[in-house]
Amino acid sequence: MRSPRLRLAALAVAPILFLGACSTEGGADGAATSDDAAATSMAPTGDVSELSVDTDGDAPAITWNDEPFADGELPFAVASTQAETVEEGDGDEVAEGQEVQARYIAFNGATGEQVLSTFEADESVTLDLSNENLFPAFLDNLPGRRVGESVLMAIPAAEAFGTAGNQQLGIGAEDTLVFYLELVEARDPLTKATGAEVEPEEGLPQVEADGESVAQITIPEDAEEPTELVVQPLVEGEGAEVKAGQTIKVHYTGVTFADGEGFDNSYDRGTPAEFPIGVGQVIPGWDEGLVGQTVGSRVLLVIPAELAYGTDAEAHELGGQTLVFVVDILGAY
């Protein structure tokens, strides 16, 4: 049967700040051509070497030629990405493809306004350097730096959101972004669940999974089809708790409860799936069952039709069916 793929692939997105949304005009594949890219950035008006950072307050403050950034002779614009070390780090060297935990504050170079920050909430974000949707500035400039290092970075529009800008963040089509980042941690990304194994309740589908290939899911002959969502951790990961609105990275296997037949999995595609969770972009059973779990966990989900593809068998090929999934949560960003 044709794989519905959970509506995952078409909806997979990176976190809004880090999606390199280049112009959809120009190249045949939707990417901006070099001429288009050049047109999206205003003429240079400054240099990252003219910026300084004061970290004595609750949040870092950026100055431009010793004046508060917003009071400078705006707009501040660069022609290509510039990065300068503010303070050296003494931790491990960041490698290509790793996940980097970072704190940051970002400003719009055209207006001087702060657009996003993790400092007020004392949080950090994960920059997945294996994700090609991340701004090229991060992919190119973070490997080789060390944990503990802080960096000032100026990114022109052509190498960030392009002609689309970002209306939600108030970023126009020609606006340079100015970032101050502190590199907190670097680690190799998870490829499978890792943590303490959990003994599942009796009567549930039986699972054999190594995290490297399609999970084997067996429906016991006497198993009762549940009327409510079943969420059974099989491995409890030690990572952060998954929050609604994050993008999660998972490997998964899906079968029907009625006959145990597989209808979809991520392993055959050779790469984990990434998608927003808890915001109605996937079936409700996934939103309800995975928010609150921890990164590194393996979770068994038994999802009644009402929380899957509905009860109408004619509306969807999996309509009216209870579905069973085994999900390895590899990241949440």
Side-chain angles (χ1 to χ4, degrees):
M1 70 191 293
R2 180 178 61 83
S3 169
R5 294 172 63 166
L6 274 179
R7 302 198 305 265
L8 301 185
L11 293 168
V13 296
I16 190 168
L17 178 59
F18 306 113
L19 179 62
C22 294
S23 168
T24 56
E25 302 174 356
D29 61 356
T33 65
S34 58
D35 289 341
D36 294 330
T40 65
S41 296
M42 64 180 64
T45 62
D47 190 277
V48 74
S49 63
E50 300 167 357
L51 304 179
S52 300
V53 182
D54 181 356
T55 59
D56 290 338
D58 293 335
I62 293 181
T63 59
W64 183 12
N65 290 327
D66 299 325
E67 294 289 337
F69 186 63
D71 296 337
E73 295 183 7
L74 298 172
F76 177 90
V78 296
S80 60
T81 295
Q82 299 177 0
E84 187 166 282
T85 298
V86 176
E87 185 174 340
E88 298 284 352
D90 58 4
D92 293 336
E93 184 173 297
V94 176
E96 292 184 1
Q98 286 192 311
E99 293 179 347
V100 177
Q101 204 73 16
R103 300 196 298 170
Y104 73 88
I105 190 167
F107 295 86
N108 185 333
T111 65
E113 293 180 356
Q114 175 183 316
V115 291
L116 282 174
S117 173
T118 66
F119 286 93
E120 284 84 351
D122 194 24
E123 295 179 341
S124 60
V125 296
T126 302
L127 304 179
D128 182 358
L129 300 185
S130 68
N131 187 342
E132 294 182 356
N133 286 323
L134 204 63
F135 282 166
F138 298 137
L139 297 174
D140 295 340
N141 285 281
L142 296 187
R145 298 184 184 274
R146 293 191 174 276
V147 171
E149 185 170 347
S150 54
V151 186
L152 259 174
M153 192 176 295
I155 309 174
E159 298 175 24
F161 293 109
T163 56
N166 188 306
Q167 185 175 359
Q168 181 176 341
L169 299 179
I171 298 169
E174 298 184 341
D175 297 352
T176 287
L177 295 176
V178 176
F179 282 86
Y180 168 75
L181 302 98
E182 295 178 352
L183 309 185
V184 177
E185 183 183 357
R187 58 179 179 265
D188 293 332
L190 291 177
T191 59
K192 61 182 179 180
T194 178
E197 293 190 5
V198 178
E199 184 69 27
E201 294 185 10
E202 294 184 1
L204 295 179
Q206 300 167 358
V207 177
E208 294 182 18
D210 60 10
E212 299 175 357
S213 57
V214 176
Q216 302 303 307
I217 304 172
T218 303
I219 312 299
E221 292 184 1
D222 58 351
E224 295 185 6
E225 191 165 342
T227 58
E228 297 182 354
L229 175 67
V230 174
V231 182
Q232 173 64 66
L234 302 175
V235 174
E236 286 191 353
E238 299 179 351
E241 184 176 297
V242 174
K243 299 177 182 179
Q246 289 184 312
T247 290
I248 64 173
K249 179 165 65 173
V250 300
H251 261 314
Y252 68 92
T253 301
V255 305
T256 54
F257 187 93
D259 54 17
E261 287 293 320
F263 61 86
D264 188 25
N265 73 84
S266 59
Y267 298 95
D268 287 348
R269 294 193 289 277
T271 185
E274 296 190 31
F275 54 91
I277 194 69
V279 291
Q281 299 264 339
V282 290
I283 58 176
W286 277 64
D287 280 342
E288 294 183 22
L290 297 183
V291 170
Q293 302 298 321
T294 54
V295 173
S297 294
R298 175 173 296 141
V299 184
L300 170 68
L301 299 175
V302 186
I303 306 177
E306 292 85 353
L307 296 177
Y309 291 97
T311 58
D312 187 350
E314 296 184 358
H316 191 281
E317 59 190 310
L318 292 175
Q321 297 216 47
T322 294
L323 305 180
V324 182
F325 292 94
V326 174
V327 184
D328 280 18
I329 305 174
L330 308 179
Y333 318 121

